[in-house]
Amino acid sequence: MTEKSDNQADGTDGGSADGSPADDRVVAGDVLKESANTTSGRQTTENSAVTQEDNQGPGWLPALMAGSVILGIAGFICCGVSTWVLFQKRTELAVRTLRGAYLIELEQSYLEPATKREVIDEVETLIAGMEAGDYENWQSAAIMQRLQRLPVVQWGDLQAVELFISKNDGPDQEVQLKELSRLQQAVANGSATSFDFQDVLEPVHRADPESSSGFSLIQPLGSEQVAEVCLRAKLIADRANIADQTFPKVDLAAIVEREISLGATAGGF
């Protein structure tokens, strides 16, 4: 009985040192501690990395945004200065346009020789006045605006159509000449512009990249195209409330002179 009690007393520790359950619990505890320490270290490292990334600041983005704003402001300033410089050189630009393009178009146009000479004289007088300083910048700009709206070069194409009708006796010859006369009177009244003439003359125009206007008159003309031109001329004259009659010949040079005078006194449109 005494020996048995001693043996039970020796086994109350829950296991022996050579692989008993008590030793297993000790080893498991150590492993858990090491795992916890490893996990804690990893989290600390990750938190440190995140903190370092957060401490790097916003980077180059604010600088790039500020640079873009500065460049935009500089661009607006440059545009404003350029516009102001061009605004102060309107007379000089008008002279270059008239001499370098407008006169050339007139010389190559289908205007009647007498009409062409008179119109060119008016334009050359205008150029001489601009170079002499007779016109202010706003006057030069207004004159150019009025000349652009005036169908001077297109007038020559209309005269070519008129000559074709006169040479080809047809049943509608008188009516067609009347409609062209009404269209010319609409120009004299200020009711028809170069934009209207572009639409009227479209049937007899062809694309021409070598021309400054981008198109030229079809040669030779055809009866169908000419009839379409006369029909369109009638529509423009009707819209302008021009009387249904044939008018005396319109002096194109006088119209050019009038528009130059109005541009210098009344301004543009």
Side-chain angles (χ1 to χ4, degrees), residues 5 7 23 37 63 97 109 157 163 201 261:
S5 299
N7 292 335
D23 292 338
N37 292 334
T97 302
S109 67
D157 295 344
L163 181 62
L201 295 170
S261 177

Side-chain angles (χ1 to χ4, degrees), residues 78-146:
C78 292
C79 291
V81 173
S82 302
T83 302
W84 182 83
V85 171
L86 293 176
F87 195 74
Q88 298 300 318
K89 293 185 176 183
R90 284 174 291 176
T91 299
E92 180 180 346
L93 294 175
V95 170
R96 291 181 180 180
T97 302
L98 291 173
R99 190 183 300 279
Y102 199 71
L103 283 178
I104 296 177
E105 289 183 354
L106 289 176
E107 293 172 353
Q108 297 176 353
S109 67
Y110 288 92
L111 287 169
E112 295 176 351
T115 303
K116 180 186 296 186
R117 186 69 263 163
E118 292 175 357
V119 173
I120 289 178
D121 289 343
E122 290 290 340
V123 176
E124 288 179 342
T125 301
L126 172 63
I127 293 174
M130 287 182 174
E131 291 177 336
D134 297 339
Y135 299 95
E136 297 182 11
N137 285 318
W138 69 268
Q139 292 175 315
S140 300
I143 292 172
M144 289 299 298
Q145 185 183 33
R146 289 181 175 272

Side-chain angles (χ1 to χ4, degrees), residues 196-209:
D196 297 319
F197 267 59
Q198 289 179 2
D199 180 65
V200 169
L201 295 170
E202 183 180 3
V204 293
H205 276 166
R206 62 178 178 85
D208 186 2

Side-chain angles (χ1 to χ4, degrees), residues 4 11 29 36 60 68 86 113 116 121 135 152 154 181 189 216 228 239 243 252:
K4 184 177 182 180
W60 287 94
S68 300
L86 293 176
K116 180 186 296 186
D121 289 343
Y135 299 95
V152 178
Q154 295 93 331
S181 176
N189 294 346
S216 60
E228 179 65 21
R239 186 195 66 186
L252 179 61

Side-chain angles (χ1 to χ4, degrees), residues 17 39 141 148 186 195 205 263:
T39 303
Q148 289 173 355
F195 305 104
H205 276 166

